[in-house]
Amino acid sequence: MNGQTSKKRIWYTALAIAALLALTIVLENVLDPNRNIMVFTSLKKGAVYALVAVSMNLLNGFTGLFSLGQAGFMLLGAYTYAILTIPAASRDAVYYIYNGSAINFSLPELFGGGAVGLVLGVLAALVLAGCVAAIVAWLIGLPVLRLKSDYLAIATLGFGEIIRAVFQWDTLGPVTNGANALKNFPTFTNFNIQNANGETVLRLSTFVAFLLSGICIAIVVLLINSTYGRAFKAIRDDEVAAEAMGINLSKHKRLSFVISSFFAGVGGGLFAMYANQAQARTFTTAMTYEILLIVVIGGIGSVSGSCLAAFLYVAASEWWLRFLDTETVLGNGFQVPLLRNGFRMVVFSIVIMIVVLFFRRGIMGDKELPDLLARRPRRKEGTE
């Protein structure tokens, strides 16, 4: 591929992303948010899950390290974001069991409050959420990354369970609020623009979710296409050959683990903004399995696949198949069989099995959308 073609693909991708962001603003301000609540709920959660899936794909797909600690790092990010952004006036109400919070400042208020303080405070809190997850990843990576394959997965899975239990420890209640949820911090809806009467004139909650996730995913893509990304892929393909080429295995494995955890922490902060609360019991092993399933369905080693699979997974599990959980009685009194609470997940599991059977390498395999959309040059006659 020549440089001119590469530049065209970059421009086309940038235009497509800009059009997608503009479309989210149009849809959110044209469609009734009350009647189409599942549409916007799926879009926001899909954007958050896309970021976390890409962060896991960076480690599992591009570096070849099988980690299952994503929910634990999301928990760290969610709690860091929530603790640093709860308004000072609301802390007594949130931490009422512990007679107030041990942390009595809020980043949006430190930046002056208002719209500017909200934006700067939320961005700073999300970055710090990622940094906390990255620091913890660096610490546990020292012993854990010596393990390989299933042993690494078991160790990181155990970390997720331990960190979830620690954050519910009553002794840490003045900081984490124990087993109770953290609330009243800025969420995506706080970015909606209101007039003097308190009426919403421009909805930007879905746009903000897409924008923040998109920026993080773009950074991961740039990393994958850098020399570090090529080193990660070399380690994935053959560690012995990579080490013979001069690649420091322990350094690059730790780097990949830390970067993946950083963006998982940011994703945890975004998930707290989506869920309007942060609670340790939400970040279970099942959440890690959901993210892993998204990576497998989209294609291990494909960023585009992880993004597409995230939206498809969320839409199918929480929106398109929801009618299967409702008991339906026809006009003549005939009750449709099987339609009852929980049947949706049965059908969804069957759909996943079918997708895995027919797309064994995932929807995208190891390809990206620009690769599929690029036109192949026609082969001249008489040449091979």
Side-chain angles (χ1 to χ4, degrees):
M1 181 185 300
N2 55 39
Q4 185 176 4
T5 304
S6 179
K7 289 181 179 179
K8 286 184 178 180
R9 289 176 58 185
I10 293 174
W11 278 108
Y12 290 153
T13 303
L15 290 174
I17 293 174
L20 179 61
L21 293 174
L23 181 61
T24 59
I25 297 178
V26 173
L27 288 177
E28 194 169 14
N29 288 276
V30 171
L31 299 179
D32 186 355
N34 296 320
R35 296 180 60 183
N36 300 277
I37 186 171
M38 289 309 303
V39 176
F40 299 112
T41 299
S42 300
L43 288 175
K44 293 173 188 175
K45 187 174 181 180
V48 175
Y49 267 30
L51 170 59
V52 182
V54 169
S55 71
M56 176 178 271
N57 209 348
L58 173 65
L59 189 63
N60 293 20
F62 289 95
T63 314
L65 299 176
F66 189 30
S67 171
L68 292 176
Q70 225 66 5
F73 295 117
M74 288 179 67
L75 184 151
L76 289 170
Y79 269 77
T80 301
Y81 171 80
I83 291 170
L84 294 177
T85 55
I86 296 176
S90 302
R91 291 185 178 269
D92 290 338
V94 174
Y95 291 86
Y96 66 96
I97 294 180
Y98 302 96
N99 298 319
S101 170
I103 299 176
N104 296 312
F105 67 90
S106 172
L107 287 181
E109 294 173 351
L110 289 180
F111 283 102
V116 176
L118 174 66
V119 173
L120 294 179
V122 167
L123 290 178
L126 289 174
V127 172
L128 290 174
C131 290
V132 169
I135 292 172
V136 174
W138 184 81
L139 291 175
I140 69 170
L142 294 175
V144 166
L145 290 180
R146 298 175 183 273
L147 304 174
K148 294 184 179 181
S149 187
D150 298 340
Y151 300 101
L152 175 60
I154 294 172
T156 51
L157 186 64
F159 155 76
E161 291 300 310
I162 292 171
I163 203 70
R164 184 161 60 93
V166 168
F167 269 69
Q168 296 181 85
W169 189 21
D170 197 58
T171 304
L172 294 178
V175 177
T176 64
N177 206 21
N180 306 293
L182 295 173
K183 299 180 180 179
N184 297 343
F185 49 80
T187 63
F188 291 131
T189 56
N190 289 93
F191 289 89
N192 293 334
I193 299 177
Q194 298 179 339
N195 57 19
N197 298 324
E199 300 174 347
T200 302
V201 295
L202 182 64
R203 298 184 181 89
L204 296 175
S205 58
T206 306
F207 167 77
V208 170
F210 271 66
L211 179 64
L212 294 176
S213 296
I215 291 174
C216 294
I217 292 173
I219 294 174
V220 174
V221 171
L222 292 175
L223 174 67
I224 291 172
N225 293 323
S226 68
T227 55
Y228 288 102
R230 288 190 285 271
F232 295 157
K233 295 176 186 178
I235 295 173
R236 174 197 63 188
D237 295 336
D238 192 329
E239 290 190 9
V240 176
E243 190 172 23
M245 294 169 57
I247 296 175
N248 189 324
L249 297 183
S250 60
K251 172 187 173 182
H252 285 83
K253 284 182 179 180
R254 190 175 298 114
L255 182 63
S256 176
F257 189 57
V258 168
I259 294 175
S260 173
S261 302
F262 173 86
F263 287 108
V266 175
L270 294 178
F271 186 84
M273 296 177 69
Y274 155 77
N276 299 330
Q277 66 175 14
Q279 193 168 19
R281 68 183 64 177
T282 305
F283 301 92
T284 61
T285 304
M287 177 177 285
T288 297
Y289 292 153
E290 283 184 332
I291 304 301
L292 178 62
L293 184 60
I294 289 172
V295 173
V296 173
I297 292 176
I300 298 178
S302 172
V303 174
S304 303
S306 295
C307 295
L308 289 174
F311 287 101
L312 291 175
Y313 179 90
V314 172
S317 62
E318 300 194 9
W319 176 22
W320 296 338
L321 301 178
R322 185 168 289 274
F323 71 95
L324 297 174
D325 282 349
T326 305
E327 295 185 2
T328 304
V329 179
L330 301 181
N332 56 1
F334 174 75
Q335 183 174 356
V336 179
L338 300 179
L339 295 185
R340 58 178 55 89
N341 187 29
F343 186 61
R344 166 173 55 102
M345 296 310 298
V346 175
V347 175
F348 182 60
S349 300
I350 295 174
V351 172
I352 290 175
M353 291 174 61
I354 294 173
V355 171
V356 172
L357 285 174
F358 286 93
F359 297 91
R360 298 190 178 184
R361 297 187 60 195
I363 298 174
M364 297 292 294
D366 58 353
K367 303 294 183 182
E368 304 291 349
L369 276 179
D371 298 330
L372 300 180
L373 298 177
R375 295 181 179 179
R376 296 182 179 180
R378 294 183 179 179
R379 185 177 299 174
K380 296 181 180 180
E381 296 182 1
T383 62
E384 297 183 357

